[in-house]
Amino acid sequence: ANTPGIKQHPRFFERYEEEARELKVPAELKSSVIQLNKKYILGINSSTPSPLIEKILKQSEILDYFSDILGGDIHRSKVVKNKILLEKYGVSSQNAIYVTDSSGDVMEARECGIKSIGVTWGFQKEEMLKRADPIKVINDPQDLIGAIEGVLK
């Protein structure tokens, strides 16, 4: 989410895309996505533009495992996009989990009644994530399936 008062470089996503050409989804995370897709509807709610997310997922051969990708080009508010996904797939907020690397996302998910799992291999470190009080924080992509199943049981 864009925080008021923080200026974003006008070419931020252009530069991000240049860097993203080298971006690969780690094997353990790829494996978790494939497993999770067998049991759950997977969607992405991000500030990153949808075409860039699609490009990265396609490169990593996991694009088809996601039912929806709602990037920053769809809407700026992740609250709005969470509500869109819940409604579209007929999922109650109690049966949804937002997996994120950002404390802001944890708060926006909470606003929709969605529990979050913080992951430390992305944007923010564990200490920052814990301040937003997600239901769980994990440090290893291999723990993702167990964490999700634990929250949804």
Side-chain angles (χ1 to χ4, degrees):
N2 281 343
T3 310
I6 295 178
K7 296 274 184 258
Q8 185 170 292
H9 189 280
R11 289 188 52 235
F12 176 82
F13 283 113
E14 207 177 306
R15 288 182 174 180
Y16 188 81
E17 184 160 10
E18 288 164 15
E19 297 294 316
R21 285 195 191 112
E22 304 304 312
L23 207 56
K24 292 276 184 279
V25 175
E28 318 85 65
L29 189 53
K30 191 172 161 177
S31 161
S32 292
V33 164
I34 293 166
Q35 285 299 113
L36 288 165
N37 172 257
K38 292 176 183 174
K39 194 171 176 182
Y40 305 105
I41 297 164
L42 305 181
I44 293 179
N45 178 354
S46 176
S47 301
T48 301
S50 307
L52 180 52
I53 297 167
E54 288 170 17
K55 188 175 175 181
I56 293 164
L57 296 177
K58 192 173 184 176
Q59 258 171 219
S60 297
E61 299 174 343
I62 56 170
L63 178 60
D64 295 341
Y65 296 97
F66 292 90
S67 299
D68 245 306
I69 296 168
L70 302 183
D73 52 311
I74 306 299
H75 201 285
R76 283 180 64 153
S77 167
K78 290 185 182 170
V79 172
V80 168
K81 291 184 286 189
N82 280 332
K83 289 177 180 174
I84 289 170
L85 289 169
L86 292 173
E87 193 174 314
K88 182 173 181 178
Y89 294 99
V91 175
S92 71
S93 57
Q94 297 89 338
N95 291 323
I97 294 182
Y98 198 116
V99 176
T100 181
D101 62 354
S102 154
S103 56
D105 290 352
V106 173
M107 294 184 277
E108 287 181 287
R110 184 176 297 118
E111 212 175 303
C112 302
I114 299 172
K115 295 179 189 95
S116 296
I117 294 175
V119 299
T120 61
W121 58 83
F123 180 61
Q124 290 178 333
K125 299 297 163 233
E126 188 169 1
E127 183 186 316
M128 265 307 270
L129 282 166
K130 282 188 172 174
R131 282 188 202 153
D133 200 27
I135 196 102
K136 194 171 189 61
V137 174
I138 59 173
N139 299 299
D140 189 329
Q142 289 178 310
D143 298 333
L144 188 57
I145 295 172
I148 289 171
E149 307 246 305
V151 172
L152 288 178
K153 69 177 174 206

